[in-house]
Amino acid sequence: MYRQGLVWLWKRHGGDEGSGSAYDLLLAYGYSPAAAWEELARLAGVPLNAWTPDAPRHTATARDPLANVRSALERCAPFADNEVWRATSLVSSIQEGDSAACELMTRGLYGWDGLEAGKLRRSVSRSDGKRLAHPGALVFTVRGPDGRPWGLKVRNAGSADRLKDLGLDRYVYAVWGHGSPAWCSPGYGSGEAVLIVEGELNGAAASRALMLAGLQLDVQGLAGAGGAPFLDGLTGKVVYLYADPDEAGTACLERLARIARGAGAAAVRILAPLPDGDFCDIAGTEGLARLGRVLKDLLAHSTIHHTVSPSGESVVPVTPHHHFPRGGVVVEAGLSKYRAKLDKKLGGSR
């Protein structure tokens, strides 16, 4: 974020050229135009009725998340042949003991061929010479629903303060001009249902754990809470959604639910947030088998997403048979701690 005159602006420096005003950023996170102005007024400490903002831009698409995601997907495309060659030339294989290997091990992803990962051969810089990523950093291929590479993403290692001192972002794209596509699981399109989660590596950990648990779900891992999911494979499927338990995650779930319904999903179900950590944390500390059982539990206890009609009434959609009935899952004592922690964490807000 930075200020230009009296206007706060944002720019994503990962190579996909995402940018706009603070108002545009809130819209991208799922705020309605009215709610966005209210939030900006609250942050500025001024009463909204005493503040007349300029006419918002792009309000037509802001009211329709499905139109927004279609617009975002227009900026995404699979790699051309020369870009595949360039991506290959930037990546070398990981050896045990590499920092990139440690990054994968802590997420339960080391050695899995479902995620094509390596380490960066050399620095990646912008056309103006600014360095975006350092050699040796973890890099992974983002494959789309067609199985083709749509992105090459780098995760710079180090603490947030260290990266700030170096002028580096946590995540950047090594091949530019392809937007921020979601990571899709191997064999996407053959699953019984779809799971969309926040974060590509979280999606990869979930996909691997589900496979080991014997569950056939297509998985998409979004490029952050504001990421655009692919619409492929959503029509007629039950779509499960998971995001971090924070304000951005809550807005993400609402936005994704509207997108999935607009894309023709048979039903949309929300997974309860984990009280601590994320899917990668569980996979790295407790193992993939544990993550698989946690995911089974979350799927079995997922809730139907409620929409609101123009008249303000709550609408509960008619849903097909739930793929993961509660009675068909044995919840271990170890798993119950997640629900107990979550109940305790949310108890004050109920």
Side-chain angles (χ1 to χ4, degrees):
M1 295 286 291
Y2 62 99
R3 196 168 71 176
Q4 189 174 84
L6 298 177
V7 180
W8 280 98
L9 302 173
W10 64 276
K11 180 173 178 60
R12 187 163 46 226
H13 296 283
D16 61 351
E17 301 178 353
S19 63
S21 67
Y23 173 78
D24 295 323
L25 181 62
L26 292 178
L27 294 182
Y29 275 117
Y31 283 73
S32 68
W37 289 126
E38 289 176 3
E39 180 65 8
L40 290 174
R42 183 187 70 81
L43 293 172
V46 298
L48 187 61
N49 58 8
W51 177 43
T52 304
D54 295 333
R57 296 173 297 165
H58 312 306
T59 53
T61 57
R63 296 190 184 95
D64 183 2
L66 187 60
N68 280 346
V69 78
R70 283 177 173 150
S71 177
L73 290 173
E74 289 177 356
R75 298 191 294 273
C76 301
F79 285 176
D81 290 343
N82 65 313
E83 291 173 316
V84 172
W85 178 87
R86 181 187 172 199
T88 302
S89 69
L90 286 170
V91 182
S92 61
S93 60
I94 293 176
Q95 305 298 322
E96 192 170 346
D98 290 339
S99 61
C102 294
E103 294 256 9
L104 293 176
M105 286 178 182
T106 59
R107 292 166 173 80
L109 294 171
Y110 182 71
W112 182 46
D113 57 9
L115 177 71
E116 297 167 77
K119 61 184 179 183
L120 202 60
R121 288 182 185 272
R122 57 182 183 273
S123 295
V124 173
S125 301
R126 289 192 324 213
S127 57
D128 61 3
K130 174 180 169 53
R131 191 173 69 162
L132 298 176
H134 55 76
L138 173 65
V139 57
F140 58 91
T141 300
V142 178
R143 290 196 176 269
D146 55 4
R148 299 168 64 186
W150 287 60
L152 187 67
K153 198 162 189 178
V154 182
R155 187 182 195 279
N156 286 315
S159 67
D161 289 340
R162 176 61 175 163
L163 292 179
K164 183 178 180 180
D165 291 340
L166 294 173
L168 298 175
D169 293 321
R170 175 68 70 192
Y171 287 98
V172 297
Y173 290 93
V175 178
W176 309 321
H178 289 265
S180 304
W183 176 89
C184 293
S185 55
Y188 186 90
S190 60
E192 298 176 358
V194 181
L195 171 63
I196 304 177
V197 306
E198 181 182 346
E200 298 98 328
L201 296 179
N202 264 332
S207 177
R208 189 179 190 188
L210 289 168
M211 289 179 182
L212 293 175
L215 299 180
Q216 295 185 350
L217 274 76
D218 295 326
V219 180
Q220 292 193 40
L222 300 182
F230 286 103
L231 303 180
D232 307 62
L234 303 187
T235 303
K237 296 283 186 69
V238 177
V239 177
Y240 296 91
L241 305 176
Y242 182 86
D244 293 340
D246 53 24
E247 187 174 353
T250 300
C252 175
L253 291 176
E254 182 61 32
R255 179 178 63 90
L256 291 176
R258 294 176 63 188
I259 290 170
R261 291 202 180 285
V268 178
R269 302 188 72 95
I270 309 297
L271 273 60
L274 296 171
D276 297 304
D278 54 25
F279 296 162
C280 285
D281 292 324
I282 296 176
T285 59
E286 302 184 51
L288 288 162
R290 171 67 71 181
L291 175 58
R293 291 191 287 270
V294 169
L295 287 169
K296 275 189 173 182
D297 187 56
L298 292 177
L299 291 166
H301 293 83
S302 61
T303 57
I304 298 173
H305 177 262
H306 291 233
T307 58
V308 178
S309 70
S311 63
E313 298 175 343
S314 178
V315 178
V316 181
V318 177
T319 61
H321 174 70
H322 188 24
H323 285 268
F324 306 97
R326 298 179 187 218
V329 177
V330 177
V331 182
E332 297 181 11
L335 292 180
S336 64
K337 71 177 183 180
Y338 291 106
R339 196 172 302 115
K341 276 186 171 182
L342 184 61
D343 289 343
K344 182 178 180 181
K345 186 174 182 179
L346 299 180
S349 61
R350 292 181 177 176

